[in-house]
């Protein structure tokens, strides 16, 4: 007993752990952690990067101060390592030095960026209105369009120039013109080099954010797909007629929901069978006293009274037969199979023609199939392809049920319209069986009312029947996922069964 309890507890814990709610909580918690980590990584990386660029800007302003002092006092000696810059003694920069500099890096080209910085006022520098700058880098040339030219001072322009070099890291060397004879060589590996830039975690942050969105979408889409599949299964089971058990799949909550639906279908099927058995039993039991009444009426000498009793007994017998047919249909568990609908309809019509009944068949010699247009065809619109098929329209259905339904339509047409013209039309997805009678008196304002059990039209007062033929036909059509339609014609009524070719 303790072993059973332990096993049950373990099973319950596993069921809880793998339930949809728990999985959702775990996945949403993981998504929250990923989203928070992505936000922190992005903020930290962006802050570090902005601080690095601000330091480069401030270093450029400090460099401008050194350049201003050297330009105003040519005899002054430059100090080294001023604000993270390595400044060397001013000297001449001739063409020989430039050529030598271009080939300082073995087997690599040196790119040169030349620009002139102009202040908004000549009073800022004592030696002129412009400062020539030449930047040499083994990686690339720098863009000078981002440096404001006239609206800001030289200090700001030096800061922006240093920021631009730091943004595109490289082993850059800058030469700044002091006068016509001297240039100042400046390098800043602690600011401009790629090793000095902070770690950029924005790309991993974007990947984490994408992972978070993926998890959220996966959770939502997973539940949506499972519920959509369950809805399709319920819809298929409800329209198939057999109400087969829906397979249980997915997380535990969806499985429990599927099990509840299966239980509901099973209970409904059992109730339907019990009701059909009850009706069948009552109808069968009524047949015996009806037969005895028929025999006893033969002993009545009054002809008028005997005829009236015979008509009442015949009407009661017809009602019993109709109820038996209806209950047999409700209890029928025929399995669908693939047949030729053309052959089935033809055989039914032939049976009537063999006994000289006015029943005819007008089946098409061509089947109309719709084909979607594509980019390789001459037109992108949908086209129709006619396939000659003289013998068969393949479909999957319940043949006995279709035979019973079509027989009911033909019987009604013969009973109330004197003739029955049957036609068969098919497309790639559906087929239609239509029965047209020739009775001009068969006009109804609401022919759909005839689908209700025991409801008959005004023209059926003097004919035998229980009013269950169209009810059975409509049940067959619905169980196949189709529809029964009525169309008033000039010479009669057309009743058509529109059914899918595959159920």
């Amino acid at each position: 007993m303790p072993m059973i309890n332990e096993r049950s507890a373990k099973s319950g814990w596993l069921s809880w752990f793998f339930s949809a709610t728990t999985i959702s909580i775990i996945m949403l918690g993981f998504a929250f952690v990923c989203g928070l980590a992505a936000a922190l990584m992005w903020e930290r990386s962006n802050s570090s990067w902005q601080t690095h660029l601000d330091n480069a800007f401030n270093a450029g302003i400090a460099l401008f101060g050194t350049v201003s002092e050297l330009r105003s006092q040519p005899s002054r000696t430059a100090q080294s390592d001023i604000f993270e810059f390595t400044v060397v003694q001013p000297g001449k920069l001739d063409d020989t030095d430039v050529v030598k500099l271009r080939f300082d890096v073995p087997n690599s080209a040196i790119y040169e960026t030349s620009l002139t910085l102009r202040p908004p006022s000549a009073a800022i520098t004592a030696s002129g209105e412009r400062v020539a700058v030449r930047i040499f880098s083994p990686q690339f040339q720098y863009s000078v369009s981002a440096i404001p030219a006239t609206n800001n001072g030289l200090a700001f322009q030096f800061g922006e120039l240093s920021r631009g070099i730091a943004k595109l890291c490289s082993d850059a060397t800058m030469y700044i013109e002091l006068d016509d004879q001297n240039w100042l060589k400046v390098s800043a590996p602690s600011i401009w080099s790629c090793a000095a830039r902070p770690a950029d975690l924005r790309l991993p942050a974007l990947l984490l954010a994408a992972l978070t969105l993926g998890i959220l979408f996966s959770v939502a889409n997973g539940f949506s797909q499972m519920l959509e599949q369950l809805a399709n299964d319920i819809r298929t089971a409800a329209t198939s007629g057999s109400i087969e058990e829906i397979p249980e799949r997915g997380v535990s909550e969806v499985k429990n929901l599927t099990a509840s639906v299966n239980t509901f279908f099973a209970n409904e099927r059992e109730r339907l069978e019990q009701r059909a058995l009850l009706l069948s039993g009552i109808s069968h039991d009524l047949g015996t006293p009806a037969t005895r009444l028929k025999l006893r009426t033969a002993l009545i000498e009054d002809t008028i009274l005997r005829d009236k009793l015979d008509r009442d007994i015949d009407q009661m017998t017809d009602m019993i037969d109709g109820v038996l047919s209806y209950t047999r249909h409700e209890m029928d568990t025929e399995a669908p199979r693939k047949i030729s609908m053309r052959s089935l309809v033809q055989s039914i019509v032939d049976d009537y023609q063999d006994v000289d009944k006015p029943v005819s068949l007008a089946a098409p010699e061509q089947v109309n199939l719709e084909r979607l247009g594509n980019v390789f065809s001459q037109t992108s619109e949908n086209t129709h392809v006619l396939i000659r098929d003289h013998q068969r329209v393949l479909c999957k259905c319940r043949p006995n049920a279709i035979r019973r339904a079509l027989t009911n339509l033909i019987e009604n047409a013969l009973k109330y319209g004197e003739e029955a013209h049957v036609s068969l039309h098919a497309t790639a997805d559906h087929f239609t069986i239509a029965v047209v009678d020739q009775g001009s008196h068969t006009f109804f304002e609401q022919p759909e009312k005839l689908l209700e059990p025991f409801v008959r039209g005004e023209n059926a007062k003097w004919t035998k029947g229980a009013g269950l033929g169209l009810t059975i036909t409509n049940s067959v059509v619905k169980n196949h996922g189709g529809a029964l339609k009525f169309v008033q014609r000039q010479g009669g009524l057309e009743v058509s069964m529109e059914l899918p070719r595959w159920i």
Side-chain angles (χ1 to χ4, degrees):
M1 193 67 180
M3 181 67 69
I4 296 177
N5 293 335
E6 181 181 355
R7 198 174 290 172
S8 301
K10 184 177 181 181
S11 175
W13 181 84
L14 289 176
S15 176
W16 175 85
F17 183 79
F18 288 106
S19 65
T21 305
T22 307
I23 293 176
S24 300
I25 293 175
I26 294 174
M27 295 185 69
L28 291 177
F30 182 71
F32 174 77
V33 172
C34 290
L36 182 61
L40 293 176
M41 290 172 62
W42 180 275
E43 180 63 26
R44 182 176 180 180
S45 180
N46 194 48
S47 177
S48 300
W49 182 247
Q50 189 62 41
T51 301
H52 174 68
L53 295 182
D54 291 342
N55 290 336
F57 180 83
N58 295 331
I61 294 178
L63 176 62
F64 169 72
T66 302
V67 171
S68 299
E69 293 180 1
L70 292 176
R71 295 189 64 160
S72 62
Q73 302 177 12
S75 60
R76 179 183 177 90
T77 301
Q79 298 179 1
S80 61
D81 300 328
I82 299 178
F83 204 82
E84 298 183 325
F85 279 96
T86 301
V87 182
V88 302
Q89 183 68 25
K92 296 181 180 181
L93 180 64
D94 53 19
D95 294 338
T96 304
D97 295 330
V98 173
V99 171
K100 181 179 178 182
L101 178 63
R102 287 180 185 274
F103 295 97
D104 278 347
V105 180
N107 300 324
S108 179
I110 296 296
Y111 298 94
E112 177 183 354
T113 304
S114 299
L115 68 153
T116 301
L117 303 180
R118 292 182 175 85
S121 175
I124 296 180
T125 60
S127 58
E129 298 181 355
R130 63 182 180 82
V131 177
V133 179
R134 301 175 72 177
I135 306 171
F136 298 91
S137 171
Q139 281 81 19
F140 36 69
Q141 288 182 313
Y142 294 93
S143 175
V144 298
S145 60
I147 303 175
T150 58
N151 297 329
N152 297 279
L154 281 175
F156 183 84
Q157 295 180 42
F158 265 91
E160 288 296 329
L161 179 60
S162 177
R163 186 201 297 269
I165 298 174
K167 187 178 296 184
L168 299 176
C169 63
S170 69
D171 298 326
T173 302
M174 180 189 298
Y175 286 83
I176 305 173
E177 183 184 20
L178 298 179
D179 51 36
D180 295 338
Q181 300 293 326
N182 298 309
W183 290 72
L184 179 65
K185 179 181 179 181
V186 180
S187 62
S190 60
I191 296 179
W192 293 345
S193 66
C194 294
R197 66 187 306 176
D200 194 351
L201 302 178
R202 286 176 290 185
L203 180 59
L206 289 177
L207 294 178
L208 274 179
L211 177 61
T212 303
L213 293 178
I215 293 175
L216 296 177
F217 176 79
S218 176
V219 172
N221 187 63
F223 280 111
S224 176
Q225 290 293 330
M226 286 185 287
L227 293 177
E228 181 67 22
Q229 182 64 40
L230 178 59
N232 292 333
D233 292 340
I234 295 175
R235 190 180 301 110
T236 303
T239 58
S240 64
S242 60
I243 313 183
E244 299 177 355
E245 184 176 353
I246 301 173
E248 298 181 7
R249 50 177 171 259
V251 294
S252 60
E253 281 81 358
V254 178
K255 288 183 179 179
N256 292 335
L257 181 59
T258 305
S260 300
V261 173
N262 287 332
T263 303
F264 171 77
F265 280 162
N267 292 335
E268 286 298 311
R269 183 65 180 177
E270 184 178 357
R271 288 176 57 189
L272 181 62
E273 291 178 353
Q274 291 178 354
R275 185 167 51 191
L277 286 174
L278 178 62
L279 289 175
S280 179
I282 294 175
S283 301
H284 182 271
D285 293 340
L286 287 176
T288 301
T291 303
R292 289 199 301 265
L293 287 175
K294 189 74 173 178
L295 294 174
R296 289 172 181 174
T297 55
L299 302 177
I300 300 176
E301 296 181 356
D302 190 345
T303 305
I304 298 176
L305 178 61
R306 186 174 60 248
D307 292 340
K308 289 182 179 180
L309 289 175
D310 285 340
R311 283 197 301 269
D312 292 339
I313 294 172
D314 290 339
Q315 184 179 4
M316 183 175 62
T317 305
D318 290 339
M319 293 181 64
I320 293 173
D321 292 338
V323 172
L324 286 174
S325 299
Y326 182 75
T327 54
R328 280 196 300 267
H329 164 69
E330 291 294 329
M331 296 174 63
D332 189 12
T333 58
E334 180 186 5
R337 53 195 175 96
K338 187 176 181 181
I339 65 168
S340 170
M341 185 55 61
R342 171 69 179 268
S343 300
L344 177 62
V345 175
Q346 184 70 61
S347 66
I348 297 174
V349 173
D350 290 342
D351 291 340
Y352 280 97
Q353 291 177 349
D354 290 342
V355 293
D356 294 331
K357 295 291 185 180
V359 180
S360 60
L361 173 63
E365 295 185 354
Q366 295 176 330
V367 179
N368 190 355
L369 301 179
E370 185 175 357
R371 182 182 67 183
L372 297 178
N374 55 69
V375 296
F376 301 103
S377 60
Q378 295 180 354
T379 175
S380 60
E381 297 180 355
N382 296 350
T383 58
H384 292 80
V385 181
L386 297 179
I387 300 178
R388 296 187 179 276
D389 187 0
H390 297 272
Q391 296 183 355
R392 57 182 184 173
V393 175
L394 293 179
C395 62
K396 189 176 182 181
C397 63
R398 299 178 179 86
N400 293 333
I402 296 295
R403 177 183 291 274
R404 186 180 302 118
L406 181 56
T407 301
N408 289 339
L409 295 183
I410 294 177
E411 289 290 341
N412 286 343
L414 294 176
K415 188 182 298 184
Y416 307 117
E418 300 176 355
E419 295 181 8
H421 300 281
V422 183
S423 61
L424 173 63
H425 303 280
T427 64
D429 299 321
H430 296 81
F431 68 91
T432 302
I433 303 175
V435 179
V436 183
D437 60 35
Q438 295 297 318
S440 59
H441 56 281
T442 57
F443 179 81
F444 305 103
E445 294 183 357
Q446 294 181 333
E448 291 78 9
K449 288 285 186 179
L450 301 177
L451 300 179
E452 299 178 3
F454 305 106
V455 176
R456 306 183 71 193
E458 294 293 332
N459 60 340
K461 291 181 178 180
W462 309 108
T463 58
K464 294 182 179 181
L468 292 174
L470 287 179
T471 303
I472 295 175
T473 301
N474 186 50
S475 177
V476 171
V477 172
K478 283 188 174 182
N479 288 342
H480 280 79
L484 190 65
K485 297 184 178 180
F486 298 86
V487 178
Q488 297 285 352
R489 299 291 184 184
Q490 183 67 26
L493 179 67
E494 176 184 328
V495 185
S496 60
M497 299 186 295
E498 296 184 1
L499 303 168
R501 296 187 66 168
W502 311 103
I503 61 174

